[in-house]
Amino acid sequence: MIRPTAPEEAAPGQDSLAESVSRGLPDAGWVLRLVTAARRSPGFGSHLAIAMLLAAMLGIGIRTGIVPMRSYVEDVIFFADNAWRVIWGQRPHVDYSSGLGPVTFLLSALGIKLAGGNLNGLGYGNVFAGITIGIWAYALLVRRVSGLLAVAGAVMLCLLSLGPVQLGESFRLSTVAMSYNRQGYALLGLLIIESFPLRQEEPARGLGGALSTGALCAILLFLKANYFLVGLVLAAISLAWSGRLERRRLAGLAAGFAVVAMAFLAYLRFDVGAMLADLRMAADARSGAISPAFVTQVFAENFPGFLVLAGLAAMTQVMGPPPSEGGWVKGVLRFRALLLAGILYCAGVLLLVTNCQLERLPMHELLALLFLDCILQCSRLDVRHTAVLLVMGTGLILGAQSADGLSFLNGLRLKLHPRQEFAYRVTSGGFAGAVFLDDYLENKDTHRAYGSFLATYLNDGSDLLRRELHPGEKVTTMDTYNAFPFALGIEPPLGGMASATYKYLFSDRYHPSADAFFGNADVVMFPKEHALTDAKWEGLKMYYIPEMERRFVQVAESAQWRMYRRRK
């Protein structure tokens, strides 16, 4: 296997390059040392560095647990409720409807079990995923890039996975929300590293790499469907990346996918029909939010970043040796760096559109790092120019990626030094320890500041149920999430939805029946002020509230809630 070449061994004329640097700069030794370090092959030093960095991130993540939340605070209920269902033996798609696969909920359940039922376990689950991805990334990168960049790439994907912030937002807006999107991007990053070697002299990819990519595709299928579709297309393109169809690689991809997919299907009792019905329902609901104008806006918002990436791709293309002549496939692959940049730009926009987001393409950041490695290995490039490109490339990557690391450290800061002003806490039950911060809102310290609202929502509902709930009764909620089984530590009902969000996860065309929605619940909690936005509340009003009033009768009330019990 061809490793990144140490400059002192494989760059003929290195002495003359060093002399030219020395003539051009008063003290050029640092330039040569910088480029030498960046080109050096992975070895003990890089292995030790990644081990220390991952250990530090593990320690910070465990100390932080669940971060005090400033943004999307209601999503803490989503993760806790679905983790609690899994702990009680329920399976997504099979026992209740879910637009997501089981991967996210299994991670949350694992974390809560490790935390002894504490809400901090949601943070532990994300840390477990992030450290696993970091190790996996480093194992792949040492076969592709220099030691320094292998460490940097592994840390990037680890932080991408576990950073407590919504993609594209300020690092200050701490949240556990939508961690599955971050993990999906990180898993696609692993697939890109293995599938698309960019150095011209790269040897044939091995069977182990194909197995890795096949396994990644299966994990993405049971994480979130849109990431799986992108991963599947990238894996298919990788079959011809060398200029010919690699049948051995195809067999490896199929084997890796089959092994992992069979394990997940066994967990779901092989109920493929229920899984496909949920994915169809979510796809139909999400399609209503996608318009040509929105797609055009996302393309335009991210086009400047693509131009920068295309510039790096062009430099990579120019500095590599001319490829050998061949058929039309090899003719296209002569521009493989530009081709890959364009493919990932389109794939990234597709993910943003289907996630209903506007900006940030994490796959571009990883691809910039891979292009930078190719540029660094060009022995024809003057050392001074190489150093300049290294600094510029690093700046471009950090400009977009720095929010992940800063959010990670900001989460620890908020945990160690919690704010008192505009901070609202859940005082008891499973959500005890959750802190919601309204200090960045214009309407702070009002009831409609969302942290204040959600703390009241959880505290008041839990108090009402402790007074009125009979032993053995199962509780559901007429709102987007069902907080109370986890809050009270009781068995959750079968049926319902992981997230009852109209025109996002269910639609007019496809939605669970009333029997499936209420399942075997004995009690329905009806909020006087709902967590859903008014537009998304309309779906519950149309399809389920009339059935609730027919099947259940109000038996108790509090400031925030009405409690309904099933009619005898």
Side-chain angles (χ1 to χ4, degrees):
M1 179 174 300
I2 298 175
R3 295 285 189 182
T5 308
E8 60 271 17
E9 294 177 2
Q14 182 72 68
D15 291 339
S16 62
L17 283 174
E19 289 170 6
S20 69
V21 174
S22 299
R23 287 194 301 269
L25 295 171
D27 180 14
W30 67 271
V31 178
L32 185 58
R33 287 194 295 273
L34 175 65
V35 174
T36 300
R39 287 175 169 172
R40 186 170 294 127
S41 301
F44 177 76
S46 62
H47 301 341
L48 181 62
I50 191 62
M52 293 175 64
L53 288 168
L54 291 178
M57 287 187 280
L58 176 63
I60 292 171
I62 291 174
R63 177 63 185 86
T64 303
I66 186 169
V67 295
M69 285 173 287
R70 285 190 167 114
S71 177
Y72 302 99
V73 294
E74 73 278 11
D75 271 30
V76 69
I77 303 175
F78 169 76
F79 289 103
D81 171 39
N82 287 282
W84 194 243
R85 285 178 178 267
V86 168
I87 289 170
W88 275 89
Q90 293 187 25
R91 292 165 169 80
H93 308 308
V94 179
D95 297 309
Y96 64 99
S97 177
S98 173
L100 294 178
V103 172
T104 296
F105 307 145
L106 288 168
L107 283 171
S108 298
L110 172 64
I112 286 178
K113 288 288 285 186
L114 291 174
N118 191 282
L119 196 64
N120 280 318
L122 297 181
Y124 299 166
N126 288 337
V127 169
F128 174 81
I131 297 301
T132 301
I133 287 171
I135 294 170
W136 198 338
Y138 185 71
L140 294 173
L141 282 164
V142 292
R143 303 166 60 87
R144 293 280 184 262
V145 300
S146 67
L148 179 64
L149 295 187
V151 172
V155 170
M156 281 172 54
L157 290 184
C158 179
L159 288 173
L160 173 62
S161 176
L162 56 79
V165 65
Q166 170 64 358
L167 288 168
E169 296 193 351
S170 166
F171 73 90
R172 293 187 68 252
L173 301 182
S174 53
T175 183
V176 297
M178 292 170 268
S179 59
Y180 43 82
N181 285 333
R182 306 180 66 87
Q183 291 156 7
Y185 279 117
L187 292 170
L188 285 175
L190 299 177
L191 188 151
I192 291 164
I193 293 166
E194 190 283 323
S195 297
F196 301 105
L198 290 169
R199 294 185 183 182
Q200 295 289 343
E201 75 278 8
E202 192 77 34
R205 293 160 297 180
L207 182 61
L211 290 170
S212 168
T213 293
L216 286 166
C217 287
I219 295 170
L220 289 168
L221 173 61
F222 294 95
L223 176 73
K224 194 176 179 184
N226 57 341
Y227 290 92
F228 166 69
L229 293 176
V230 169
L232 187 65
V233 171
L234 293 177
I237 293 171
S238 77
L239 291 172
W241 192 247
S242 64
R244 57 183 177 80
L245 182 64
E246 298 181 46
R247 291 182 174 81
R248 186 166 178 263
R249 177 172 177 79
L250 177 60
L253 289 172
F257 180 86
V259 169
V260 177
M262 287 298 289
F264 279 112
L265 287 173
Y267 172 72
L268 297 177
R269 303 191 185 104
F270 296 97
D271 196 342
V272 178
M275 175 180 167
L276 293 178
D278 281 353
L279 296 181
R280 179 183 63 179
M281 180 170 67
D284 184 73
R286 196 69 60 90
S287 65
I290 298 173
S291 66
F294 179 59
V295 174
T296 302
Q297 181 183 2
V298 175
F299 265 106
E301 291 268 1
N302 294 278
F303 190 69
F306 168 68
L307 289 179
V308 174
L309 187 71
L312 280 176
M315 294 175 68
T316 301
Q317 201 74 51
V318 169
M319 292 176 187
S324 58
E325 297 295 329
W328 70 269
V329 174
K330 287 193 175 181
V332 171
L333 291 177
R334 293 180 63 180
F335 306 97
R336 66 178 66 208
L338 285 166
L339 176 65
L340 185 58
I343 290 171
L344 292 187
Y345 173 54
C346 294
V349 169
L350 171 66
L351 290 173
L352 286 176
V353 167
T354 52
N355 289 337
C356 296
Q357 297 170 324
L358 279 175
E359 58 184 22
R360 188 168 173 199
L361 301 174
M363 293 185 292
H364 281 192
E365 298 151 24
L366 175 66
L367 191 56
L369 182 137
L370 298 178
F371 288 157
L372 192 59
D373 174 74
C374 293
I375 294 169
L376 283 171
Q377 300 309 314
C378 179
S379 60
R380 295 179 292 147
L381 192 65
D382 184 272
V383 174
R384 291 169 298 181
H385 298 156
T386 303
V388 170
L389 290 172
L390 175 62
V391 173
M392 289 176 57
T394 302
L396 290 171
I397 294 168
L398 289 179
Q401 209 271 339
S402 60
D404 299 334
L406 291 173
S407 70
F408 192 54
L409 295 175
N410 182 58
L412 178 64
R413 180 185 68 84
L414 290 173
K415 196 76 170 197
L416 294 177
H417 305 288
R419 296 185 65 90
Q420 301 302 320
E421 190 178 17
F422 307 123
Y424 302 93
R425 291 170 169 79
V426 181
T427 54
S428 62
F431 289 97
V435 180
F436 309 129
L437 302 174
D438 286 338
D439 57 347
Y440 73 101
L441 294 174
E442 292 181 359
N443 60 341
K444 53 192 173 185
D445 208 26
T446 70
H447 183 64
R448 283 310 302 160
Y450 209 75
S452 170
F453 163 73
L454 196 66
T456 302
Y457 178 99
L458 292 171
N459 287 326
D460 186 68
S462 298
D463 290 342
L464 175 62
L465 284 169
R466 289 190 186 97
R467 293 193 304 267
E468 301 292 341
L469 193 66
H470 297 164
E473 285 187 323
K474 299 178 177 66
V475 181
T476 192
T477 303
M478 185 60 66
D479 211 337
T480 182
Y481 308 129
N482 183 22
F484 297 109
F486 176 73
L488 301 177
I490 60 177
E491 182 180 355
L494 295 170
M497 303 178 69
S499 174
T501 309
Y502 180 52
K503 293 187 177 179
Y504 193 76
L505 290 170
F506 75 95
S507 64
D508 294 318
R509 187 178 180 188
Y510 299 111
H511 51 269
S513 66
D515 287 340
F517 184 85
F518 292 107
N520 65 344
D522 303 296
V523 168
V524 177
M525 293 291 284
F526 185 90
K528 295 180 179 179
E529 190 175 6
H530 44 81
L532 278 169
T533 60
D534 290 341
K536 292 181 170 60
W537 178 253
E538 289 299 313
L540 297 182
K541 283 175 62 176
M542 282 190 290
Y543 300 115
Y544 303 116
I545 291 177
E547 279 296 312
M548 179 196 72
E549 293 171 342
R550 187 177 71 83
R551 300 175 186 219
F552 298 80
V553 61
Q554 183 177 335
V555 295
E557 186 174 0
S558 67
Q560 179 67 36
W561 293 92
R562 295 187 180 96
M563 177 179 169
Y564 287 75
R565 183 169 280 121
R566 189 178 288 273
R567 297 179 189 272
K568 300 298 184 184

